[in-house]
Coordinates of all heavy atoms in Angstrom, one line a residue:
M1 N 83.4 -31.9 -70.6 CA 82.6 -31.8 -69.5 C 82.6 -33.1 -68.7 O 82.5 -34.2 -69.3 CB 81.2 -31.5 -70.0 CG 80.5 -30.3 -69.1 SD 79.0 -29.8 -69.8 CE 77.9 -30.9 -68.8
S2 N 82.7 -33.1 -67.4 CA 82.8 -34.3 -66.6 C 81.4 -34.7 -66.2 O 80.5 -33.9 -66.1 CB 83.7 -34.1 -65.3 OG 83.1 -33.1 -64.7
N3 N 81.2 -36.0 -66.1 CA 79.9 -36.6 -65.7 C 79.8 -36.5 -64.2 O 80.6 -37.0 -63.4 CB 79.9 -38.1 -66.2 CG 78.6 -38.7 -65.9 OD1 77.8 -38.3 -65.1 ND2 78.4 -39.8 -66.7
P4 N 78.7 -35.8 -63.7 CA 78.5 -35.6 -62.3 C 78.3 -37.0 -61.6 O 78.7 -37.1 -60.4 CB 77.2 -34.8 -62.2 CG 76.6 -34.8 -63.5 CD 77.7 -35.1 -64.5
M5 N 77.8 -37.9 -62.3 CA 77.6 -39.3 -61.6 C 78.9 -40.0 -61.3 O 79.2 -40.6 -60.3 CB 76.7 -40.3 -62.5 CG 75.3 -39.9 -62.5 SD 74.6 -40.1 -60.8 CE 74.4 -41.9 -60.7
D6 N 79.8 -39.9 -62.4 CA 81.2 -40.4 -62.2 C 81.9 -39.6 -61.0 O 82.6 -40.3 -60.2 CB 81.9 -40.1 -63.5 CG 81.9 -41.5 -64.4 OD1 81.1 -42.3 -64.0 OD2 82.6 -41.4 -65.4
E7 N 81.7 -38.4 -61.1 CA 82.4 -37.6 -60.0 C 81.9 -38.0 -58.6 O 82.7 -38.3 -57.7 CB 82.0 -36.1 -60.1 CG 82.6 -35.5 -61.3 CD 84.1 -35.1 -61.0 OE1 84.3 -34.2 -60.1 OE2 85.0 -35.5 -61.7
R8 N 80.6 -38.3 -58.5 CA 80.1 -38.6 -57.3 C 80.5 -40.0 -56.8 O 81.0 -40.3 -55.7 CB 78.5 -38.7 -57.4 CG 77.8 -39.1 -56.0 CD 76.3 -38.7 -56.1 NE 75.6 -39.6 -55.2 CZ 75.7 -39.5 -53.9 NH1 76.5 -38.6 -53.3 NH2 75.1 -40.4 -53.1
R9 N 80.6 -40.9 -57.9 CA 81.1 -42.3 -57.5 C 82.6 -42.3 -57.1 O 82.9 -43.0 -56.1 CB 80.9 -43.2 -58.7 CG 80.7 -44.6 -58.4 CD 80.6 -45.5 -59.6 NE 81.8 -45.2 -60.4 CZ 82.3 -46.0 -61.4 NH1 81.7 -47.1 -61.7 NH2 83.4 -45.7 -62.1
R10 N 83.3 -41.4 -57.8 CA 84.7 -41.5 -57.4 C 84.9 -40.9 -56.0 O 85.7 -41.4 -55.2 CB 85.5 -40.5 -58.4 CG 86.9 -40.8 -58.5 CD 87.5 -40.1 -59.6 NE 87.0 -40.4 -61.0 CZ 86.8 -39.5 -61.9 NH1 87.2 -38.2 -61.7 NH2 86.3 -39.8 -63.0
G11 N 84.0 -39.9 -55.7 CA 84.1 -39.4 -54.3 C 83.7 -40.4 -53.3 O 84.4 -40.5 -52.2
L12 N 82.7 -41.2 -53.6 CA 82.3 -42.2 -52.6 C 83.4 -43.3 -52.5 O 83.7 -43.8 -51.4 CB 81.0 -42.9 -53.1 CG 79.7 -42.2 -52.9 CD1 78.5 -42.8 -53.5 CD2 79.5 -41.9 -51.4
E13 N 84.0 -43.7 -53.6 CA 85.1 -44.6 -53.5 C 86.3 -44.1 -52.7 O 86.8 -44.9 -51.8 CB 85.6 -44.9 -54.9 CG 84.9 -46.1 -55.5 CD 85.3 -46.3 -57.1 OE1 86.3 -45.7 -57.5 OE2 84.5 -46.9 -57.7
E14 N 86.6 -42.8 -52.9 CA 87.6 -42.3 -52.1 C 87.3 -42.3 -50.6 O 88.1 -42.5 -49.7 CB 87.9 -40.8 -52.6 CG 89.0 -40.8 -53.7 CD 89.2 -39.5 -54.3 OE1 88.8 -38.5 -53.7 OE2 89.7 -39.5 -55.5
E15 N 86.0 -41.9 -50.3 CA 85.6 -41.9 -49.0 C 85.7 -43.3 -48.4 O 86.2 -43.4 -47.2 CB 84.3 -41.4 -48.9 CG 83.9 -40.9 -47.5 CD 82.3 -40.6 -47.4 OE1 81.8 -39.9 -48.1 OE2 81.8 -41.3 -46.5
Y16 N 85.3 -44.3 -49.2 CA 85.3 -45.7 -48.7 C 86.8 -46.1 -48.3 O 87.0 -46.6 -47.3 CB 84.7 -46.6 -49.8 CG 84.9 -48.1 -49.4 CD1 83.9 -48.7 -48.6 CD2 85.8 -48.8 -50.0 CE1 84.0 -50.0 -48.3 CE2 85.9 -50.2 -49.7 CZ 85.1 -50.8 -48.8 OH 85.1 -52.1 -48.5
F17 N 87.7 -45.8 -49.3 CA 89.1 -46.2 -49.0 C 89.7 -45.4 -47.9 O 90.5 -46.0 -47.1 CB 89.9 -46.2 -50.3 CG 89.6 -47.2 -51.3 CD1 89.0 -47.0 -52.5 CD2 89.9 -48.6 -50.9 CE1 88.8 -48.0 -53.3 CE2 89.6 -49.6 -51.8 CZ 89.0 -49.3 -53.0
H18 N 89.3 -44.2 -47.9 CA 89.8 -43.3 -46.8 C 89.4 -43.9 -45.4 O 90.2 -44.0 -44.5 CB 89.3 -41.9 -46.9 CG 89.8 -41.0 -45.9 ND1 91.1 -40.5 -45.9 CD2 89.3 -40.5 -44.8 CE1 91.3 -39.7 -44.9 NE2 90.2 -39.6 -44.2
R19 N 88.1 -44.4 -45.3 CA 87.6 -44.9 -44.1 C 88.3 -46.3 -43.8 O 88.6 -46.5 -42.6 CB 86.1 -45.1 -44.2 CG 85.4 -45.0 -42.9 CD 83.9 -44.8 -43.0 NE 83.4 -45.8 -43.9 CZ 82.4 -45.5 -44.8 NH1 81.9 -44.3 -44.9 NH2 81.9 -46.4 -45.6
K20 N 88.4 -47.0 -44.9 CA 89.1 -48.3 -44.7 C 90.5 -48.2 -44.1 O 91.0 -48.9 -43.2 CB 89.1 -49.2 -46.0 CG 87.8 -49.8 -46.2 CD 87.7 -51.2 -45.4 CE 86.2 -51.4 -45.3 NZ 85.9 -52.3 -44.2
N21 N 91.2 -47.2 -44.7 CA 92.5 -46.9 -44.3 C 92.7 -46.5 -42.8 O 93.5 -46.9 -42.1 CB 93.1 -45.7 -45.1 CG 94.0 -46.3 -46.3 OD1 94.6 -47.3 -46.1 ND2 94.2 -45.5 -47.3
K22 N 91.7 -45.6 -42.5 CA 91.7 -45.1 -41.1 C 91.4 -46.2 -40.1 O 92.0 -46.3 -39.1 CB 90.5 -44.1 -41.0 CG 91.0 -42.8 -40.4 CD 89.9 -41.7 -40.4 CE 89.6 -41.3 -38.9 NZ 88.6 -40.4 -38.8
E23 N 90.5 -47.2 -40.6 CA 90.2 -48.3 -39.7 C 91.5 -49.2 -39.5 O 91.8 -49.6 -38.3 CB 89.1 -49.1 -40.3 CG 87.7 -48.6 -39.9 CD 86.6 -49.4 -40.7 OE1 86.9 -50.6 -41.2 OE2 85.6 -48.9 -40.9
A24 N 92.1 -49.4 -40.6 CA 93.3 -50.3 -40.5 C 94.4 -49.6 -39.6 O 95.0 -50.2 -38.8 CB 93.9 -50.5 -42.0
I25 N 94.6 -48.3 -39.8 CA 95.5 -47.5 -39.0 C 95.2 -47.6 -37.5 O 96.0 -47.8 -36.6 CB 95.7 -46.1 -39.5 CG1 96.4 -46.1 -40.9 CG2 96.5 -45.2 -38.5 CD1 96.4 -44.8 -41.6
E26 N 93.8 -47.4 -37.2 CA 93.5 -47.5 -35.9 C 93.6 -48.8 -35.2 O 94.0 -48.9 -34.1 CB 92.0 -47.1 -35.7 CG 91.9 -45.6 -35.4 CD 90.6 -44.9 -35.8 OE1 89.6 -45.6 -35.8 OE2 90.6 -43.7 -36.0
K27 N 93.4 -49.9 -36.1 CA 93.6 -51.3 -35.5 C 95.0 -51.5 -35.3 O 95.4 -52.1 -34.2 CB 93.1 -52.3 -36.6 CG 91.7 -52.7 -36.3 CD 91.3 -53.8 -37.3 CE 89.8 -54.0 -37.3 NZ 89.3 -54.5 -38.5
L28 N 96.0 -51.0 -36.1 CA 97.4 -51.1 -35.9 C 97.8 -50.4 -34.7 O 98.6 -51.0 -33.9 CB 98.0 -50.6 -37.2 CG 99.4 -51.1 -37.4 CD1 99.4 -52.6 -37.9 CD2 100.1 -50.3 -38.6
R29 N 97.3 -49.1 -34.5 CA 97.6 -48.4 -33.3 C 97.2 -49.1 -32.1 O 98.0 -49.1 -31.1 CB 96.9 -47.1 -33.4 CG 97.6 -46.1 -34.3 CD 97.4 -44.7 -33.8 NE 98.0 -43.7 -34.8 CZ 97.4 -42.8 -35.5 NH1 96.1 -42.7 -35.3 NH2 97.9 -42.1 -36.3
E30 N 96.0 -49.8 -32.1 CA 95.5 -50.5 -31.0 C 96.4 -51.7 -30.6 O 96.8 -51.8 -29.5 CB 94.1 -51.0 -31.3 CG 93.3 -51.4 -30.1 CD 93.1 -50.3 -29.1 OE1 92.8 -49.2 -29.5 OE2 93.1 -50.6 -27.9
K31 N 96.9 -52.3 -31.6 CA 97.8 -53.4 -31.5 C 99.1 -53.0 -30.9 O 99.6 -53.6 -30.0 CB 98.1 -54.1 -32.9 CG 97.4 -55.4 -33.1 CD 97.9 -56.1 -34.3 CE 97.2 -57.3 -34.7 NZ 97.5 -57.7 -36.0
M32 N 99.6 -51.9 -31.4 CA 100.9 -51.3 -30.9 C 100.8 -50.9 -29.5 O 101.6 -51.1 -28.7 CB 101.4 -50.1 -31.7 CG 102.0 -50.6 -33.1 SD 102.1 -49.4 -34.3 CE 103.2 -48.2 -33.5
K33 N 99.6 -50.3 -29.2 CA 99.4 -49.9 -27.8 C 99.4 -51.1 -26.8 O 100.1 -51.0 -25.8 CB 98.0 -49.2 -27.7 CG 98.0 -48.1 -26.8 CD 96.6 -47.4 -26.7 CE 95.9 -47.7 -25.4 NZ 94.5 -47.4 -25.5
V34 N 98.7 -52.2 -27.2 CA 98.7 -53.4 -26.4 C 100.2 -53.9 -26.1 O 100.5 -54.2 -25.0 CB 97.9 -54.5 -27.0 CG1 98.0 -55.8 -26.4 CG2 96.4 -54.0 -27.0
S35 N 100.9 -54.0 -27.2 CA 102.3 -54.6 -27.0 C 103.1 -53.6 -26.3 O 104.0 -54.0 -25.5 CB 102.9 -54.9 -28.4 OG 103.2 -53.8 -29.1
E36 N 102.9 -52.3 -26.4 CA 103.7 -51.3 -25.7 C 103.4 -51.4 -24.2 O 104.3 -51.3 -23.3 CB 103.5 -49.9 -26.2 CG 104.5 -49.4 -27.2 CD 104.1 -48.2 -27.9 OE1 103.4 -47.4 -27.4 OE2 104.6 -48.1 -29.1
E37 N 102.1 -51.5 -23.9 CA 101.7 -51.7 -22.5 C 102.3 -52.9 -21.9 O 102.7 -52.9 -20.8 CB 100.1 -51.6 -22.4 CG 99.6 -50.3 -22.4 CD 98.0 -50.3 -22.6 OE1 97.5 -51.3 -22.7 OE2 97.5 -49.2 -22.6
A38 N 102.2 -54.0 -22.7 CA 102.8 -55.2 -22.2 C 104.3 -55.0 -21.9 O 104.8 -55.6 -20.9 CB 102.6 -56.4 -23.1
K39 N 105.0 -54.4 -22.8 CA 106.4 -54.1 -22.6 C 106.6 -53.2 -21.4 O 107.5 -53.5 -20.6 CB 106.9 -53.4 -23.8 CG 108.0 -54.2 -24.6 CD 108.5 -53.4 -25.8 CE 108.9 -54.4 -26.9 NZ 109.2 -53.6 -28.1
A40 N 105.8 -52.2 -21.2 CA 106.0 -51.4 -20.1 C 105.7 -52.1 -18.8 O 106.4 -51.9 -17.7 CB 105.0 -50.2 -20.2
A41 N 104.9 -53.1 -18.8 CA 104.6 -53.9 -17.6 C 105.7 -55.0 -17.5 O 105.6 -55.8 -16.5 CB 103.2 -54.5 -17.7
G42 N 106.5 -55.1 -18.3 CA 107.7 -56.1 -18.2 C 107.3 -57.4 -18.8 O 107.9 -58.4 -18.4
T43 N 106.1 -57.4 -19.5 CA 105.8 -58.8 -20.1 C 105.7 -58.7 -21.6 O 105.4 -57.6 -22.1 CB 104.4 -59.2 -19.5 OG1 103.5 -58.1 -19.8 CG2 104.4 -59.4 -18.1
S44 N 105.9 -59.8 -22.2 CA 105.7 -59.8 -23.7 C 104.3 -60.4 -23.9 O 103.9 -61.1 -23.1 CB 106.8 -60.6 -24.4 OG 106.6 -62.0 -24.2
S45 N 103.7 -60.1 -25.0 CA 102.4 -60.7 -25.2 C 102.4 -62.0 -25.9 O 101.5 -62.5 -26.4 CB 101.6 -59.7 -26.1 OG 102.4 -59.2 -27.1
M46 N 103.6 -62.6 -25.9 CA 103.8 -63.9 -26.6 C 103.3 -65.0 -25.7 O 103.3 -65.0 -24.6 CB 105.2 -64.2 -26.9 CG 105.6 -63.6 -28.2 SD 107.4 -63.6 -28.4 CE 107.8 -65.3 -28.3
K47 N 102.7 -66.0 -26.4 CA 102.2 -67.2 -25.7 C 103.3 -68.3 -25.7 O 104.0 -68.4 -26.7 CB 100.9 -67.7 -26.5 CG 99.7 -66.8 -26.2 CD 99.0 -67.3 -24.9 CE 98.0 -66.3 -24.4 NZ 98.0 -66.0 -23.1
C48 N 103.2 -69.1 -24.7 CA 104.2 -70.2 -24.6 C 103.8 -71.3 -25.7 O 102.7 -71.6 -25.9 CB 104.1 -70.9 -23.3 SG 105.1 -72.3 -23.1
P49 N 104.8 -71.7 -26.6 CA 104.5 -72.7 -27.5 C 104.2 -74.1 -26.9 O 103.6 -74.9 -27.7 CB 105.9 -72.8 -28.4 CG 106.8 -71.9 -27.7 CD 106.2 -71.2 -26.5
R50 N 104.5 -74.3 -25.7 CA 104.3 -75.6 -25.1 C 102.9 -75.6 -24.4 O 102.3 -76.7 -24.4 CB 105.4 -75.9 -24.2 CG 105.4 -77.3 -23.6 CD 106.4 -77.6 -22.4 NE 107.8 -77.6 -22.9 CZ 108.8 -77.4 -22.2 NH1 108.6 -77.1 -20.8 NH2 110.0 -77.4 -22.6
C51 N 102.6 -74.6 -23.6 CA 101.4 -74.6 -22.9 C 100.6 -73.3 -23.2 O 101.0 -72.6 -24.1 CB 101.6 -74.8 -21.4 SG 102.4 -73.4 -20.6
D52 N 99.6 -72.9 -22.4 CA 98.9 -71.7 -22.7 C 99.4 -70.6 -21.8 O 98.7 -69.6 -21.6 CB 97.3 -71.8 -22.7 CG 96.9 -72.3 -21.3 OD1 97.9 -72.6 -20.4 OD2 95.7 -72.3 -21.0
G53 N 100.5 -70.7 -21.2 CA 101.1 -69.7 -20.4 C 101.6 -68.5 -21.2 O 101.6 -68.5 -22.4
T54 N 102.0 -67.5 -20.4 CA 102.5 -66.3 -21.1 C 104.0 -66.1 -20.9 O 104.5 -66.4 -19.8 CB 101.7 -65.0 -20.5 OG1 100.3 -65.2 -20.6 CG2 102.1 -63.8 -21.2
L55 N 104.7 -65.8 -22.0 CA 106.1 -65.7 -21.9 C 106.4 -64.3 -21.3 O 105.9 -63.3 -21.8 CB 106.7 -65.8 -23.3 CG 106.5 -67.3 -23.9 CD1 107.2 -67.3 -25.3 CD2 107.0 -68.4 -23.0
T56 N 107.3 -64.3 -20.3 CA 107.7 -63.0 -19.8 C 109.2 -62.9 -20.1 O 110.0 -63.7 -19.9 CB 107.6 -63.1 -18.2 OG1 106.3 -63.5 -17.9 CG2 107.9 -61.7 -17.6
E57 N 109.5 -61.7 -20.7 CA 110.9 -61.4 -21.1 C 111.7 -61.0 -19.9 O 111.3 -60.2 -19.1 CB 110.9 -60.2 -22.1 CG 110.6 -60.6 -23.6 CD 111.1 -59.7 -24.6 OE1 110.9 -58.4 -24.2 OE2 111.7 -60.0 -25.6
S58 N 112.9 -61.5 -19.9 CA 113.8 -61.1 -18.8 C 115.2 -61.0 -19.4 O 115.5 -61.7 -20.4 CB 113.8 -62.0 -17.6 OG 113.8 -63.3 -17.9
K59 N 116.0 -60.3 -18.8 CA 117.4 -60.1 -19.3 C 118.4 -61.0 -18.5 O 118.3 -61.0 -17.3 CB 117.8 -58.6 -19.1 CG 118.8 -58.2 -20.3 CD 119.0 -56.7 -20.2 CE 119.6 -56.2 -21.4 NZ 119.8 -54.7 -21.4
F60 N 119.1 -61.7 -19.3 CA 120.1 -62.6 -18.6 C 121.4 -62.5 -19.4 O 121.4 -62.7 -20.6 CB 119.6 -64.1 -18.7 CG 120.7 -65.0 -18.1 CD1 120.7 -65.2 -16.6 CD2 121.5 -65.8 -18.8 CE1 121.6 -66.1 -16.1 CE2 122.4 -66.7 -18.2 CZ 122.5 -66.8 -16.9
E61 N 122.4 -62.0 -18.7 CA 123.7 -61.8 -19.4 C 123.5 -60.9 -20.6 O 124.1 -61.2 -21.7 CB 124.4 -63.1 -19.7 CG 124.6 -64.0 -18.6 CD 126.0 -63.9 -17.9 OE1 126.8 -63.4 -18.6 OE2 126.1 -64.3 -16.7
E62 N 122.8 -59.8 -20.6 CA 122.6 -58.9 -21.7 C 121.7 -59.6 -22.8 O 121.6 -59.0 -23.9 CB 123.9 -58.4 -22.2 CG 124.7 -57.7 -21.2 CD 124.1 -56.4 -20.6 OE1 123.7 -55.5 -21.4 OE2 124.0 -56.4 -19.4
V63 N 121.2 -60.7 -22.7 CA 120.4 -61.4 -23.7 C 119.0 -61.6 -23.2 O 118.8 -62.0 -22.0 CB 121.1 -62.8 -24.0 CG1 120.2 -63.5 -25.1 CG2 122.5 -62.6 -24.4
M64 N 118.0 -61.2 -24.0 CA 116.7 -61.3 -23.6 C 116.2 -62.7 -23.8 O 116.4 -63.3 -24.8 CB 115.8 -60.4 -24.5 CG 116.1 -58.8 -24.3 SD 116.0 -58.3 -22.6 CE 114.1 -58.3 -22.4
I65 N 115.7 -63.2 -22.6 CA 115.1 -64.6 -22.8 C 113.7 -64.5 -22.4 O 113.2 -63.6 -21.7 CB 115.8 -65.6 -21.9 CG1 115.9 -65.1 -20.4 CG2 117.3 -65.9 -22.4 CD1 116.5 -66.2 -19.5
D66 N 112.8 -65.4 -22.9 CA 111.4 -65.6 -22.6 C 111.2 -66.7 -21.7 O 111.5 -67.8 -22.0 CB 110.6 -65.7 -23.8 CG 110.8 -64.5 -24.8 OD1 110.5 -63.4 -24.3 OD2 111.2 -64.7 -25.9
T67 N 110.6 -66.4 -20.5 CA 110.3 -67.5 -19.6 C 108.8 -67.7 -19.5 O 108.1 -66.7 -19.3 CB 111.0 -67.2 -18.2 OG1 112.2 -66.7 -18.4 CG2 110.9 -68.4 -17.3
C68 N 108.3 -68.8 -19.5 CA 106.9 -69.1 -19.4 C 106.5 -69.1 -17.9 O 107.2 -69.6 -17.0 CB 106.6 -70.5 -19.9 SG 104.8 -70.9 -19.7
D69 N 105.4 -68.3 -17.6 CA 105.0 -68.3 -16.2 C 104.2 -69.4 -15.7 O 103.9 -69.5 -14.6 CB 104.1 -66.9 -16.0 CG 102.8 -67.0 -16.8 OD1 102.6 -67.9 -17.6 OD2 102.0 -66.1 -16.7
K70 N 104.0 -70.4 -16.7 CA 103.2 -71.6 -16.2 C 104.0 -72.8 -16.2 O 104.0 -73.4 -15.1 CB 102.0 -71.7 -17.2 CG 100.7 -72.1 -16.6 CD 99.6 -72.1 -17.6 CE 98.3 -72.4 -16.9 NZ 97.2 -72.4 -17.8
C71 N 104.7 -73.2 -17.2 CA 105.5 -74.4 -17.1 C 106.9 -74.1 -16.9 O 107.7 -75.1 -16.7 CB 105.4 -75.2 -18.5 SG 106.2 -74.4 -19.9
G72 N 107.4 -72.8 -16.8 CA 108.7 -72.6 -16.5 C 109.7 -72.8 -17.6 O 110.9 -72.6 -17.5
G73 N 109.2 -73.0 -18.8 CA 110.0 -73.2 -20.0 C 110.7 -71.9 -20.3 O 110.2 -70.8 -20.2
V74 N 111.9 -72.1 -20.8 CA 112.8 -70.9 -21.2 C 112.9 -70.9 -22.7 O 113.2 -72.0 -23.3 CB 114.1 -70.8 -20.5 CG1 115.0 -69.7 -21.1 CG2 113.9 -70.7 -19.0
W75 N 112.6 -69.9 -23.4 CA 112.6 -69.8 -24.9 C 113.6 -68.8 -25.3 O 113.6 -67.7 -24.8 CB 111.3 -69.6 -25.5 CG 110.2 -70.5 -24.9 CD1 109.4 -70.3 -23.9 CD2 110.0 -71.9 -25.3 NE1 108.7 -71.5 -23.6 CE2 109.0 -72.4 -24.5 CE3 110.6 -72.7 -26.3 CZ2 108.5 -73.7 -24.6 CZ3 110.1 -74.0 -26.5 CH2 109.2 -74.5 -25.6
L76 N 114.4 -69.2 -26.3 CA 115.4 -68.2 -26.8 C 115.1 -68.0 -28.3 O 114.7 -68.9 -29.0 CB 116.8 -68.8 -26.7 CG 117.3 -69.1 -25.3 CD1 118.5 -70.1 -25.3 CD2 117.8 -67.8 -24.7
D77 N 115.3 -66.8 -28.7 CA 115.2 -66.5 -30.1 C 116.4 -67.0 -30.8 O 117.4 -67.3 -30.1 CB 115.1 -65.0 -30.4 CG 113.8 -64.4 -30.0 OD1 112.8 -65.3 -29.9 OD2 113.5 -63.2 -29.6
S78 N 116.4 -67.1 -32.1 CA 117.5 -67.7 -32.8 C 118.8 -66.8 -32.6 O 118.7 -65.6 -32.6 CB 117.1 -67.8 -34.4 OG 117.8 -66.7 -35.1
G79 N 119.8 -67.5 -32.3 CA 121.1 -66.8 -32.1 C 121.3 -66.4 -30.7 O 122.4 -66.1 -30.2
E80 N 120.2 -66.5 -29.8 CA 120.4 -66.1 -28.4 C 121.2 -67.1 -27.6 O 121.9 -66.7 -26.7 CB 119.1 -65.8 -27.8 CG 118.5 -64.5 -28.2 CD 117.1 -64.1 -27.7 OE1 116.5 -65.1 -27.1 OE2 116.7 -63.0 -27.7
L81 N 121.0 -68.3 -27.9 CA 121.7 -69.4 -27.2 C 123.2 -69.2 -27.5 O 124.0 -69.3 -26.6 CB 121.3 -70.8 -27.6 CG 122.0 -72.0 -27.0 CD1 121.8 -72.0 -25.4 CD2 121.5 -73.3 -27.6
Q82 N 123.6 -68.9 -28.8 CA 125.0 -68.8 -29.2 C 125.5 -67.6 -28.4 O 126.6 -67.6 -27.9 CB 125.1 -68.6 -30.7 CG 125.0 -69.8 -31.5 CD 123.5 -70.2 -31.8 OE1 122.6 -69.7 -31.2 NE2 123.4 -71.1 -32.8
Q83 N 124.7 -66.5 -28.4 CA 125.1 -65.3 -27.6 C 125.4 -65.6 -26.3 O 126.4 -65.2 -25.6 CB 124.0 -64.3 -27.7 CG 124.0 -63.4 -28.9 CD 123.1 -62.2 -28.7 OE1 123.2 -61.4 -27.8 NE2 122.0 -62.2 -29.5
L84 N 124.6 -66.4 -25.6 CA 124.7 -66.7 -24.1 C 125.9 -67.6 -24.0 O 126.7 -67.3 -23.0 CB 123.5 -67.5 -23.7 CG 122.3 -66.6 -23.2 CD1 121.1 -67.5 -22.8 CD2 122.7 -65.8 -22.1
T85 N 126.1 -68.7 -24.7 CA 127.3 -69.5 -24.5 C 128.6 -68.8 -24.9 O 129.6 -69.0 -24.2 CB 127.1 -70.8 -25.3 OG1 126.8 -70.4 -26.7 CG2 126.1 -71.7 -24.8
R86 N 128.6 -67.9 -25.8 CA 129.7 -67.1 -26.2 C 130.1 -66.2 -25.0 O 131.3 -66.1 -24.6 CB 129.5 -66.3 -27.5 CG 130.8 -66.0 -28.2 CD 130.5 -65.2 -29.4 NE 129.6 -65.7 -30.3 CZ 128.5 -65.0 -30.8 NH1 128.4 -63.7 -30.4 NH2 127.6 -65.6 -31.6
K87 N 129.1 -65.6 -24.5 CA 129.4 -64.6 -23.3 C 129.9 -65.4 -22.1 O 130.4 -64.9 -21.2 CB 128.1 -63.9 -23.0 CG 127.8 -62.7 -23.8 CD 126.5 -62.1 -23.4 CE 126.0 -61.1 -24.3 NZ 126.9 -59.9 -24.4
D88 N 129.5 -66.7 -22.1 CA 129.7 -67.5 -20.9 C 130.8 -68.5 -21.1 O 130.7 -69.5 -20.4 CB 128.3 -68.2 -20.6 CG 128.3 -68.7 -19.1 OD1 128.6 -67.9 -18.1 OD2 128.1 -69.9 -18.9
Q89 N 131.7 -68.3 -21.9 CA 132.8 -69.3 -22.1 C 133.4 -69.7 -20.8 O 133.9 -68.8 -20.0 CB 133.9 -68.6 -22.9 CG 133.6 -68.4 -24.5 CD 133.6 -69.8 -25.2 OE1 134.2 -70.8 -24.9 NE2 132.7 -69.8 -26.2
G90 N 133.3 -71.0 -20.5 CA 133.9 -71.4 -19.2 C 133.0 -71.3 -18.1 O 133.3 -71.6 -17.0
G91 N 131.9 -70.7 -18.3 CA 130.9 -70.4 -17.2 C 129.9 -71.5 -17.0 O 130.1 -72.6 -17.7
W92 N 129.0 -71.4 -16.1 CA 128.0 -72.5 -15.8 C 127.3 -73.0 -17.1 O 127.0 -74.1 -17.2 CB 127.1 -72.1 -14.6 CG 126.1 -71.1 -15.0 CD1 126.2 -69.8 -14.8 CD2 124.7 -71.4 -15.4 NE1 125.1 -69.2 -15.2 CE2 124.2 -70.1 -15.6 CE3 124.1 -72.5 -15.8 CZ2 122.8 -70.0 -16.1 CZ3 122.8 -72.4 -16.3 CH2 122.2 -71.1 -16.4
L93 N 126.9 -71.9 -17.9 CA 126.0 -72.3 -19.1 C 126.8 -73.2 -20.1 O 126.2 -74.3 -20.4 CB 125.6 -71.0 -19.7 CG 124.2 -70.6 -19.6 CD1 123.9 -69.3 -20.3 CD2 123.2 -71.7 -20.3
S94 N 128.0 -72.9 -20.4 CA 128.6 -73.7 -21.3 C 129.1 -75.0 -20.8 O 129.1 -76.1 -21.4 CB 129.9 -73.0 -22.0 OG 130.6 -72.2 -21.0
R95 N 129.3 -75.0 -19.4 CA 129.6 -76.3 -18.7 C 128.3 -77.1 -18.8 O 128.4 -78.3 -19.0 CB 129.9 -76.0 -17.2 CG 131.4 -75.6 -17.1 CD 132.0 -76.1 -15.6 NE 131.2 -75.3 -14.6 CZ 131.5 -74.0 -14.2 NH1 132.6 -73.4 -14.8 NH2 130.9 -73.5 -13.3
Y96 N 127.2 -76.5 -18.5 CA 125.9 -77.2 -18.4 C 125.6 -77.9 -19.8 O 125.2 -79.0 -19.9 CB 124.8 -76.2 -18.2 CG 123.5 -76.8 -18.1 CD1 123.1 -77.5 -16.9 CD2 122.4 -76.6 -19.1 CE1 121.8 -78.0 -16.8 CE2 121.2 -77.2 -19.0 CZ 120.9 -77.9 -17.8 OH 119.7 -78.4 -17.8
W97 N 125.8 -77.1 -20.9 CA 125.5 -77.7 -22.2 C 126.7 -78.6 -22.8 O 126.5 -79.4 -23.6 CB 125.1 -76.5 -23.2 CG 123.7 -76.3 -23.3 CD1 122.8 -77.2 -23.8 CD2 122.9 -75.2 -22.8 NE1 121.5 -76.7 -23.6 CE2 121.6 -75.5 -23.1 CE3 123.3 -74.0 -22.3 CZ2 120.5 -74.6 -22.7 CZ3 122.3 -73.1 -21.9 CH2 120.9 -73.4 -22.1
G98 N 127.8 -78.3 -22.4 CA 129.1 -78.9 -22.9 C 129.5 -80.1 -22.1 O 130.2 -81.0 -22.6
A99 N 129.0 -80.2 -20.9 CA 129.6 -81.1 -19.9 C 129.2 -82.6 -20.4 O 127.9 -82.8 -20.7 CB 129.0 -80.9 -18.5
S100 N 130.1 -83.5 -20.4 CA 129.7 -84.9 -20.7 C 130.0 -85.7 -19.4 O 129.5 -86.8 -19.3 CB 130.5 -85.4 -21.9 OG 131.9 -85.1 -21.6
D101 N 130.7 -85.1 -18.4 CA 130.9 -85.9 -17.2 C 130.6 -85.0 -16.0 O 130.4 -83.8 -16.1 CB 132.4 -86.4 -17.1 CG 133.4 -85.3 -17.3 OD1 132.9 -84.2 -17.7 OD2 134.6 -85.6 -17.0
Ligands
ZN201 ZN1 104.6 -72.9 -20.9

């Protein structure tokens, strides 16, 4: 025979975790919504590491770059600079970075 008090406690625990789960999922959904809206508006929700400006994603030579709307800094994810210079062999970018004279 099962103890009705145990049953009740188990029920409450389940309800508690169910509610916590739901909250976590809703928070996650809210976050995703924000970043999706930012994407749709053509902006990333990332903050500039140098100032408090907002980084805006733009496409350059098929590579996504982040440009700060405040200080004008350009930020590249790892590998993106290599992608850019590879795509731009002999172009202005590799001349810019490779030029010594
Ligand atoms: Zn900045």
